[in-house]
Amino acid sequence: MSNYKDNDGGKRGLDALSSLCKRRGFIFPSSEIYGGINGFWDYGPMGAELKRNIRDAWWRFMVQDREDVVGLDATIIMHPRVWQASGHASGFADPMVDCKDCKKRYRADQLCEEQGAKLVQKDGGWELPEGVKCLQCGSANLTEPRSFNLMFKTHVGPVEDESSATYLRPETAQAIFTQFLNIYATSRRSVPFGVAQSGKSFRNEINPRNYTFRSREFEQMELEFFIRPDEAVELIYGHVVTMADNPDLDGEPQQDWGWEVWHRYWVEQRLKWYRSIGLPSEALHLYWQKGDELAHYARACVDIEYEFPFGVQELEGIAARSDFDLSQHQKFSGKSMEVFDDHLKAAVSAMDEGAKQMFEQRTVSACILRGKSLDEAKAFCAGLFEGRYVPHVIEPSAGTDRLALAILCNAYDEETLTDSKGKPDVRTVMRLHPAIAPIKAAVLPLVKNRPELYAKAREIYKLLRKEWNCFWDESGAIGRRYRRQDEVGTPFCVTVDFETLDDDTVTVRRRDSMEQERVQVSSLVSWIGAAVRT
RNA sequence: GCGAGCUUAGCUCAGUGGUAGAGCUCUACCUUGCCAAGGUAGAUGUCGAGGGUUCGAAUCCCUUAGCUCGCUCCA
């Protein structure tokens, strides 16, 4: 299979792809008749189907095909305190300085740090200390540090003042944490279990780039998987399974897994899913964030990256976030985020005082090493002895739009054929996995001026479209109709010909190999059905 | 956000001050027994937007939006 990367290093491939996406109705610039708007993209008829199929495949894999994950569909606008608790209100606003002479821009804190100084906080704003200079040209002619908050701000109600200010969510995850108690109370699930959500998020990116890869309005598919703290696992099972124990990550999840195993389990699950929708293993890379790249609360984070034409870029981050998120919301809301764990309570009841004391000593010092205060560490142990804890979280968080882009990049192929006259002929074909292809089958009457053949084709079309999104095409020569379907990635073309009238079979033409075979009309639905499942 | 380049039909592009074009696509009809076939007819543009210079602007100037690339950014 030839690939766009073969001839041009990728750049022209993205142009060819975006041109096809426009031409065939996958992706359009938003508001295009007004000149477009930077960082916003619309999905056309084909793109809408593709994205829906991706989302549905994710939901089926992550929620419906599991017994330990439930779903949520929360609002985009939430209480402003949510973003204080999550850290987005402050953390999203990195102060920046520009050099007025050479126009170079720096993050203010990094610029200061490089010169052994410290950024000064003043009146809720920021100030550069004396003597800080531009690293590039040495000029001290720098702008004041200015904040760029990446959250979109809006107002709830008619009055536009600070008291009504809210934000469009910059991630879907926080809604899951804020609804944790309701879901826990109503879903009849116990830890370990997860909550999944897909939906729109908004980030006012400074510089959207690379087609739809970094957009200002985008969709995420996130799972927050809640697990016991390792200490609770240890109390219940007497041991904690780590990667050193070589656990079977392909089988059923086990109750005695520690966070490290759960984290790896989800990495493997996610890779498995990406492969199931047609992204080849070779194009996927894992990037393990190093100690200094991790957020302070994160224990580990792995990025699943894809080889885009413009470089290897992140599709999904899988983070082990400890109990940071729920604890923050507990702190800001005043509502306890602890769960009661019967198994833990039972296990602790069976322990004698000496064993409990030993456990507490060990646990308190370990907690302090991880940065907790003595009081916090003691409260944690006291909670465990009563069967209570704040769950920890493993968070696989994927970008739907960048995944759609990866899938489109991966599917795009230009194949050189030799036509019947011996001339070379380039066939553009989107080799999408059948399960996510926008159109599963096109129904084509071989000719349209034979009423009984035409009617039979209509009948078959109506039969198939009850099952999947199908397409009817009667105009143009049959070869041209096949090639049109190739460009939108339709895996099967069902051609109704004269033989159909005699023996009730049709020609099914395969997109990838262009091979044809005859299939009984009565078995067509099961034949296609078997091929379009993941 | 800074700098450079670009923006003409659905797509790819030609057009350096004098009547807006080509190829492909698309639509209809004819033809057509399986891979972009042929014929006939047809459709599509405020030349990204706004302003200016000029008798006259797609073309020159200014402003603005968008795209691409390089910086920067991506918590």
Side-chain angles (χ1 to χ4, degrees):
Chain A
M1 188 197 293
S2 78
N3 197 288
Y4 58 88
K5 292 181 204 101
D6 292 348
N7 22 6
D8 49 37
K11 192 57 234 160
R12 239 184 68 211
L14 195 59
D15 288 348
L17 176 69
S18 60
S19 150
L20 179 135
C21 285
K22 176 87 184 290
R23 191 170 71 242
R24 291 299 184 187
F26 281 96
I27 296 169
F28 306 129
S30 167
S31 321
E32 196 187 9
I33 60 168
Y34 293 103
I37 174 165
N38 195 354
F40 297 87
W41 300 89
D42 292 344
Y43 289 81
M46 290 302 119
E49 294 290 339
L50 174 69
K51 207 169 140 182
R52 175 181 303 275
N53 291 342
I54 292 171
R55 207 190 285 123
D56 287 352
W58 182 83
W59 192 261
R60 208 173 308 119
F61 184 89
M62 299 293 277
V63 183
Q64 295 176 337
D65 194 24
R66 300 185 63 97
E67 51 191 322
D68 55 359
V69 176
V70 293
L72 176 69
D73 188 350
T75 59
I76 287 168
I77 291 175
M78 291 187 272
H79 196 288
R81 294 263 292 163
V82 170
W83 307 114
Q84 291 173 11
S86 71
H88 287 87
S90 54
F92 241 56
D94 289 323
M96 310 289 295
V97 289
D98 293 322
C99 172
K100 290 178 186 170
D101 293 329
C102 74
K103 308 293 185 193
K104 191 153 174 71
R105 163 168 294 178
Y106 303 93
R107 250 175 71 178
D109 56 335
Q110 290 177 349
L111 183 67
C112 293
E113 205 171 300
E114 296 232 12
Q115 300 178 45
K118 204 166 164 28
L119 189 63
V120 182
Q121 198 157 13
K122 193 186 168 191
D123 309 330
W126 302 91
E127 198 171 75
L128 284 179
E130 284 291 315
V132 172
K133 291 188 172 76
C134 173
L135 292 173
Q136 183 165 286
C137 71
S139 167
N141 190 14
L142 303 170
T143 63
E144 289 294 300
R146 291 174 293 182
S147 287
F148 293 84
N149 195 317
L150 293 187
M151 283 197 293
F152 280 96
K153 200 173 197 176
T154 188
H155 295 86
V156 172
V159 183
E160 294 197 5
D161 61 19
E162 276 309 301
S163 68
S164 69
T166 51
Y167 300 94
L168 305 189
R169 65 184 179 200
E171 61 172 38
T172 56
Q174 294 305 319
I176 296 176
F177 300 129
T178 57
Q179 288 294 8
F180 173 75
L181 293 176
N182 280 331
I183 296 167
Y184 184 66
T186 58
S187 66
R188 305 190 55 233
R189 297 297 194 282
S190 54
V191 176
F193 80 108
V195 181
Q197 170 165 236
S198 82
K200 286 288 179 77
S201 292
F202 302 82
R203 295 182 195 182
N204 209 349
E205 298 287 353
I206 293 169
N207 195 355
R209 276 289 163 88
N210 291 329
Y211 200 25
T212 60
F213 182 80
R214 179 169 294 122
S215 299
R216 288 181 163 134
E217 175 174 342
F218 58 99
E219 207 168 307
Q220 292 182 299
M221 302 182 291
E222 293 193 301
L223 169 69
E224 303 302 329
F225 195 81
F226 300 101
I227 57 173
R228 294 179 173 119
D230 280 6
E231 292 81 357
V233 173
E234 186 192 331
L235 286 172
I236 299 169
Y237 299 102
H239 65 277
V240 177
V241 173
T242 66
M243 286 311 293
D245 299 312
N246 200 17
D248 173 20
L249 298 176
D250 269 342
E252 290 290 311
Q254 299 299 312
Q255 294 282 324
D256 55 359
W257 283 359
W259 72 265
E260 186 196 17
V261 179
W262 275 111
H263 184 238
R264 278 300 285 270
Y265 167 78
W266 278 112
V267 173
E268 293 306 318
Q269 288 292 305
R270 300 301 303 138
L271 286 171
K272 187 174 159 190
W273 182 72
Y274 284 113
R275 288 192 297 264
S276 79
I277 56 166
L279 290 184
S281 301
E282 317 84 78
L284 296 170
H285 300 277
L286 289 185
Y287 178 79
W288 290 82
Q289 289 189 13
K290 297 176 189 70
D292 54 348
E293 295 169 312
L294 288 170
H296 66 276
Y297 49 79
R299 291 182 169 177
C301 187
V302 179
D303 291 340
I304 297 181
E305 301 177 319
Y306 174 76
E307 286 176 20
F308 285 96
F310 43 83
V312 175
Q313 295 280 344
E314 179 187 349
L315 287 180
E316 167 158 356
I318 300 158
R321 297 174 61 89
S322 74
D323 63 351
F324 175 78
D325 302 282
L326 288 178
S327 294
Q328 282 293 105
H329 286 295
Q330 177 167 277
K331 202 179 293 175
F332 277 73
S333 69
K335 304 283 192 296
S336 169
M337 297 288 164
E338 286 180 326
V339 298
F340 180 78
D341 189 323
D342 291 307
H343 295 93
L344 177 59
K345 178 70 179 177
V348 171
S349 308
M351 288 170 76
D352 61 47
E353 276 310 309
K356 277 165 121 176
Q357 272 181 21
M358 273 174 58
F359 174 86
E360 180 163 2
Q361 271 178 15
R362 200 152 36 84
T363 302
V364 165
S365 43
C367 285
I368 288 170
L369 275 178
R370 285 205 306 265
K372 293 208 177 190
S373 71
L374 181 64
D375 285 349
E376 284 170 334
K378 281 188 162 171
F380 174 57
C381 281
L384 289 176
F385 291 153
E386 291 170 20
R388 291 183 289 106
Y389 52 82
V390 174
H392 285 222
V393 163
I394 307 293
E395 178 191 80
S397 167
T400 313
D401 303 87
R402 46 182 66 179
L403 174 56
L405 181 59
I407 283 169
L408 288 166
C409 288
N410 185 68
Y412 186 87
D413 190 22
E414 289 175 9
E415 183 183 37
T416 304
L417 306 166
T418 309
D419 69 14
S420 50
K421 299 176 196 91
K423 285 187 299 186
D425 168 37
V426 175
R427 179 174 82 118
T428 302
V429 49
M430 294 298 281
R431 300 188 189 275
L432 295 165
H433 190 289
I436 52 164
I439 299 170
K440 304 298 185 220
V443 179
L444 320 170
L446 185 59
V447 294
K448 63 176 165 179
N449 56 1
R450 298 290 189 280
E452 67 281 22
L453 191 153
Y454 190 90
K456 182 69 186 172
R458 286 298 296 177
E459 194 184 299
I460 292 170
Y461 170 57
K462 283 176 185 165
L463 172 78
L464 295 185
R465 78 180 185 195
K466 282 195 196 308
E467 306 288 330
W468 311 284
N469 189 42
C470 294
F471 195 82
W472 171 262
D473 195 354
E474 62 181 47
S475 83
I478 193 73
R480 171 180 305 242
R481 282 180 270 167
Y482 288 152
R483 298 299 179 86
R484 280 188 197 129
Q485 294 304 314
D486 288 343
E487 284 206 342
V488 293
T490 305
F492 305 108
C493 287
V494 175
T495 301
V496 178
D497 50 31
F498 294 96
E499 235 179 299
T500 311
L501 300 176
D502 295 335
D503 63 4
D504 220 36
T505 60
V506 290
T507 301
V508 179
R509 180 262 196 187
R510 293 171 185 270
R511 173 196 68 199
D512 292 335
S513 62
M514 298 170 68
E515 282 163 2
Q516 307 187 346
E517 66 184 272
R518 292 211 71 85
V519 176
Q520 282 286 335
V521 171
S522 58
S523 58
L524 199 50
V525 166
S526 59
W527 194 96
I528 296 173
V532 300
R533 271 191 287 273
T534 47

